[in-house]
Amino acid sequence: MKTHPINTIVFDLGGVLINLNVPRCVGNFKRLMGEENVRNVLGIDDEGEGVAAVSAATRQLMHDYEHGNISTEDFLNAVQQYCHAGTTLEDIRQAWMSMLDELPQERLDHIADLRKAGYKTYLLSNSNHMHWDPIFEQYRLDRYFDGIYASHHLHMAKPTKEIFEYVANDAKIDSAHTVYVDDLDKNRAAAEKYLGWQTCASVEELKMIETLSHFAIDNEVADPQPLKIGFINESYIVRAKHAGERSYFLQRINHHIFQNVEGLQQNIKKVTDHIRHKLEAAGEKDIERQVLELVPTRDGRLYYQTPDGNYWRVYVLIENATSQEKVTPKSAELTGEAFGRFQCQLADLPFDELCESIPNFHNIEFRLQQLDEALEADAAGRKATCQDIIDAINVRREQMCLAERLFREGKLPKHINHCDTKVNNILFDEAGRPICIVDLDTVMPGYVLSDFGDFMRTAANTGQEDDPILDNIRVDLEIFEAYTRGYLKQATFLTETEKELLPYGCRLLSYMQTVRFFTDWLNGDTYYKIQYPEHNLVRTRAQLRLLEEQEKVENEMQAIIRKLA
């Protein structure tokens, strides 16, 4: 696939825009004429594929009707000769029309969006009067295309060279910047052979081609392959066609969560540029494997907004790298080193140069305000059964707002944080060494306590985040010590106050997540995805238990930090 700019899109109709139900049509004709005649007269099988062994007369009948050389009445009369006695022309008409299914309005809306964005759009279809007239009348196709070409009007059909050349000449199409969308291999092959058009098989594939065409990707790449990673953004791998050339990581940004896409992308650019300059100054090798690189659009932007309103970005793919899910003491120490190094590299980048990609993301005062509003509204009528949780949250309110108070007093600094410090947000090389921090959407100003505590909330928890068996939940001090050892080895910028408050950071993030899960429970489960009705309540109690366990071992955590610091 080439990613050069495109300005023209030519669409097939059946199987691309309007859905076809060929098996239903074939089934209806079997009842009218029997299976043998369906194959021999109509020349199609159950899936709508052409049958080779058909008579010349059959080929001529279908050819003449598709080319507009005979009328619908002539076609119906010819088919009736092969039907069971008593079959009417209307029976045949209804069977023929049963091939057509719905034409989703979203596909037409997408074409309308493409035209608004400046693309020329054309329709090129092998069709016939019986199918064409009701489709055209119902959907008013002329509103969506700059030109419409149908085989039965032109008296020529795909995949012949003449119809493609006719359309290209009549519409004055610039073949070098055209994409043709057709579900049939033979038609796409003809368009590529005769005109050099880029082709694809569906509107979904077209969206990928259209998106990638806007990015400064100069090498030839394969079709994007979806990746099932994460829950927020939609991700794809775009492999280079030729060895030794760059591959890419394509991602749709969830702009419902990250509403300031410009600010988000500027954050990532500033952070990755800053780290790259640090690595260059240190004389590091293989810098391209140690920091992400955004690929700009052809007009220099850091993202592309598609005609349908979605936002996309592209990174250069870091090859031969893997992520990990399981945390061991060894991987915890390596992870601590990686995030400590990441924060240290950014320690001299003023935090106020970055925006909050999710405003108030780790602001506990804001989260408590959200909780108070949920308690006041009690939208789902659940408050009365949860007084123990409310009491547990309220008794800790003042101490848990300590970080915000210290910041206002000038005693606790803000830095640039990752804000999602999980082991799977690090890429490891073939030898198992961390090489690059990824998933930078939540990189924004905050307290180092948040990053430290967020890792411990998940990795140093012997239970699950949503563990229904609370006795499973304890603090894994071995993981805690291993991560802390690696982290303090690299985070040389920390103040004494920050070091002293690291155990508090663990409690703060567990408390904050307790508040967030509980707020969503009270609101009727409107934010987090749930797997069963009481999922958010189970999550709340699990996080509260973790907080209680962290309180029990706070002195031990403090002793570990003092020893390692």
Side-chain angles (χ1 to χ4, degrees), residues 223-243:
D223 292 337
Q225 298 300 311
L227 281 176
K228 293 184 178 180
I229 58 171
F231 300 101
I232 295 178
N233 300 317
E234 186 179 317
S235 303
Y236 299 81
I237 290 288
V238 184
R239 292 283 180 191
K241 276 287 187 71
H242 306 293

Side-chain angles (χ1 to χ4, degrees), residues 231-232 257 358 360-362 367 370 382 422 454 457 465-466 509-537 539-540 543:
F231 300 101
I232 295 178
I257 292 177
I358 303 178
N360 296 304
F361 186 50
H362 280 172
R367 297 301 184 184
Q370 289 182 312
R382 295 170 169 176
K422 296 182 176 63
D454 202 22
R457 185 184 69 81
E465 183 181 70
D466 58 353
L509 266 292
S510 298
Y511 179 80
M512 189 178 302
Q513 202 57 54
T514 301
V515 170
R516 293 183 65 189
F517 283 144
F518 188 49
T519 299
D520 200 34
W521 165 253
L522 293 170
N523 286 334
D525 311 308
T526 59
Y527 184 81
Y528 292 105
K529 291 182 180 179
I530 59 172
Q531 297 175 2
Y532 51 90
E534 294 192 341
H535 198 176
N536 272 324
L537 183 60
R539 287 165 167 158
T540 300
Q543 292 300 291

Side-chain angles (χ1 to χ4, degrees), residues 329-352:
K330 181 179 179 180
S331 67
E333 184 170 348
L334 291 173
T335 301
E337 288 186 21
F339 282 117
R341 185 184 307 113
F342 179 79
Q343 287 184 339
C344 194
Q345 289 169 328
L346 298 172
D348 59 344
L349 179 61
F351 74 85
D352 54 3

